[in-house]
């Protein structure tokens, strides 16, 4: 079973990325042939500073390794080190009806958030389809926001197979874990860089982390009054980090009243800080070992290119090249 997923280097990863994709991807390393990459071609749609892009790729590699990605178990590379994927994107674009791309909500959503409407942004889901199909991927662990892109990938692969031959491209399955498929941000919307509501995995300082958590939106129930834990973003986030027992203690205390929201935010802050502390420690070591980090990407690119070549040869032959 080949497992594949990607993440854009468009800033530091946040806990939505972590629970939606990084953690499940790391857990799947033991279940099959894991292929993970940093989607720097995709990031060109929003990151236009070359130095920034380079730094983001390096930082994200370190972050992923610090969180538990094991290069002995997984193939890990930078997307642009395997440029064959852009060729497959073109070939796929010739079997893709315009309407299929026009229906993608992420394009409209990104424009609404101020990203310039380039052709790259519009064609983005097809590059993603090529990312997946070029490695004969079976399973793709992602957050819920990627569901439509996975559906498009399946439809495009089917169209290709219908035109050129059954079983040429493997039809992948998304793996979306319901409980962590859409982590809320500080304001309760989906946690996302474009909504400016993120908590990063590795905030620069504890003070910054705490300050962000204190910004989580709450209602204005007075300190002494009972509070409803069901819709609280504090509780929703706490559930990601705490045991069932600890969550119950917080929920009971909400219902009993007597504590202000600041108290629960402090508990959440401590849980997040402690959860990522060992990873932070690993990160500090990795930052100093640039040769190792570069080596991981180099080795990953070699392995990924080999597999991509296999599928590209098959596709080129099928279309008459
Ligand atoms: P990206 O970089 O926006 O996000 C990386 C992963 O994090 C998940 N995610 C979330 N999950 C739960 N709650 C959230 N608030 C949250 N925010 C982000 C995303 O669902 C994603 O799984 N297009 C992709 C990158 C990509 C890709 C691929 C993924 C390129 N090619 C091929 C899979 C397969 C993206 O922009 O992810």
């Amino acid at each position: 079973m080949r497992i594949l997923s990607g993440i854009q280097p468009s800033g530091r990863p946040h806990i939505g990325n972590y629970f939606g994709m990084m953690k499940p991807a790391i857990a799947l390393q033991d279940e099959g042939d894991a292929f993970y990459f940093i989607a720097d071609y995709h990031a060109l749609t929003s990151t236009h500073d070359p130095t920034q892009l380079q730094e983001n790729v390096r930082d994200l590699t370190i972050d992923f390794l610090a969180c538990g990605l094991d290069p002995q178990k997984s193939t890990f590379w930078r997307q642009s080190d395997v440029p064959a994927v852009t060729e497959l994107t073109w070939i796929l674009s010739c079997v893709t009806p315009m309407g299929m791309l026009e229906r993608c909500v992420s394009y409209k959503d990104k424009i609404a958030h101020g990203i310039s409407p380039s052709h790259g942004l519009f064609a983005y889901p097809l590059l993603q389809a090529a990312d997946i199909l070029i490695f004969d991927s079976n399973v793709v662990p992602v957050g819920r926001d990627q569901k439509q892109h996975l559906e498009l990938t399946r439809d495009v692969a089917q169209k290709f197979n219908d035109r050129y031959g059954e079983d040429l491209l493997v039809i992948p399955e998304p793996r979306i874990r319901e409980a962590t498929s859409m982590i809320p941000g500080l304001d309760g919307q989906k946690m996302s860089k474009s909504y400016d509501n993120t908590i990063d995995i590795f905030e620069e300082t504890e003070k910054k982390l705490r300050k962000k958590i204190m910004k989580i939106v709450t209602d204005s129930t007075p300190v002494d009054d009972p509070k409803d834990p069901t819709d609280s973003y504090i509780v929703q986030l706490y559930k990601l980090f705490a045991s069932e027992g600890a969550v119950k203690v917080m929920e009971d205390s909400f219902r009993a009243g007597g504590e202000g929201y600041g108290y629960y935010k402090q508990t959440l802050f401590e849980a997040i800080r402690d959860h990522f502390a060992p990873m932070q420690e690993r990160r500090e070591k990795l930052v100093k070992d640039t040769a190792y980090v570069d080596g991981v990407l180099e080795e990953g690119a070699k392995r990924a290119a080999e597999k991509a070549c296999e599928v590209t040869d098959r596709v080129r032959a099928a279309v008459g090249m």
Side-chain angles (χ1 to χ4, degrees):
M1 173 173 81
R2 171 151 296 108
I3 306 143
L4 173 133
S5 199
I7 180 166
Q8 287 192 73
S10 44
R12 301 302 297 276
H14 52 72
I15 64 176
N17 298 131
Y18 180 74
F19 287 101
M21 180 276 207
M22 296 166 79
K23 191 168 182 250
I26 288 164
L28 283 165
Q29 292 182 121
D30 295 313
E31 284 183 35
D33 194 10
F35 270 49
Y36 303 130
F37 66 96
I38 298 196
D40 59 347
Y41 281 138
H42 279 106
L44 276 186
T45 56
S46 60
T47 306
H48 303 142
D49 175 339
T51 315
Q52 186 70 56
L53 185 65
Q54 290 269 16
E55 277 173 17
N56 287 355
V57 170
R58 164 76 61 78
D59 279 342
L60 188 51
T61 306
I62 294 173
D63 291 343
F64 222 134
L65 289 167
C67 287
L69 182 111
D70 180 351
Q72 302 297 326
K73 294 179 182 167
S74 297
T75 298
F76 190 64
W77 75 102
R78 178 189 353 222
Q79 184 186 31
S80 61
D81 282 342
V82 185
V85 75
T86 59
E87 183 187 4
L88 182 61
T89 305
W90 176 254
I91 294 174
L92 293 177
S93 78
C94 297
V95 300
T96 307
M98 279 296 285
M100 225 186 235
L101 283 172
E102 279 163 356
R103 279 193 292 278
C104 287
V105 293
S106 69
Y107 176 69
K108 295 170 202 158
D109 188 57
K110 283 179 178 161
I111 292 178
H113 283 92
I115 298 184
S116 61
S118 63
H119 175 258
L121 197 65
F122 180 71
Y124 179 114
L126 261 191
L127 175 57
Q128 182 161 351
D131 286 330
I132 298 169
L133 299 172
I134 204 167
F135 296 106
D136 283 339
S137 312
N138 305 104
V139 171
V140 186
V142 281
R144 199 190 303 166
D145 59 349
Q146 300 298 313
K147 190 167 181 259
Q148 193 182 33
H149 292 167
L150 263 294
E151 283 161 5
L152 178 129
T153 304
R154 290 169 57 87
D155 290 346
V156 168
Q158 197 54 60
K159 283 214 168 288
F160 186 89
N161 288 352
D162 289 345
R163 186 177 293 175
Y164 293 108
E166 227 18 73
D167 299 332
L168 275 167
L169 293 176
V170 172
I171 314 279
E173 295 284 343
R175 177 79 60 94
I176 301 173
R177 288 158 97 225
E178 205 32 58
T180 53
S181 64
M182 224 264 266
I183 307 297
L186 302 173
D187 56 358
Q189 292 189 80
K190 180 189 88 161
M191 186 176 288
S192 165
K193 278 156 223 154
S194 20
Y195 301 164
D196 196 20
N197 65 358
T198 58
I199 301 169
D200 292 352
I201 303 177
F202 301 112
E203 288 288 348
E204 260 168 72
T205 58
E206 273 189 23
K207 204 170 153 205
K208 277 202 174 161
L209 174 64
R210 191 169 179 283
K211 205 169 155 200
K212 275 203 174 171
I213 290 170
M214 291 299 156
K215 279 203 238 160
I216 294 174
V217 172
T218 56
D219 59 25
S220 51
T221 314
V223 173
D224 287 334
D225 288 12
K227 299 169 185 66
D228 182 7
T230 15
D231 293 329
S232 163
Y233 309 134
I234 305 172
V235 178
Q236 284 175 34
L237 290 170
Y238 191 55
K239 281 184 178 165
L240 300 167
F241 297 94
S243 66
E244 259 179 53
V247 172
K248 189 167 180 308
V249 170
M250 186 181 276
E251 286 174 336
D252 289 348
S253 166
F254 258 69
R255 290 193 188 96
E259 296 288 359
Y261 286 117
Y263 170 79
Y264 302 114
K265 288 178 179 175
Q266 177 66 27
T267 310
L268 174 64
F269 157 69
E270 286 165 19
I272 297 182
R273 181 198 59 196
D274 295 351
H275 183 90
F276 291 117
M279 301 175 209
Q280 178 76 47
E281 222 173 275
R282 273 208 295 272
R283 178 166 213 292
E284 275 153 30
K285 288 195 190 121
L286 285 161
V287 167
K288 292 183 199 131
D289 201 350
T290 46
Y292 170 75
V293 175
D294 292 346
V296 166
L297 289 179
E298 239 171 72
E299 180 55 34
K302 263 188 232 155
R303 297 212 295 256
E306 245 170 63
K307 180 66 203 173
C309 192
E310 218 180 286
V311 179
T312 317
D313 285 353
R314 192 195 306 151
V315 166
R316 286 175 64 99
V319 301
M321 286 171 176

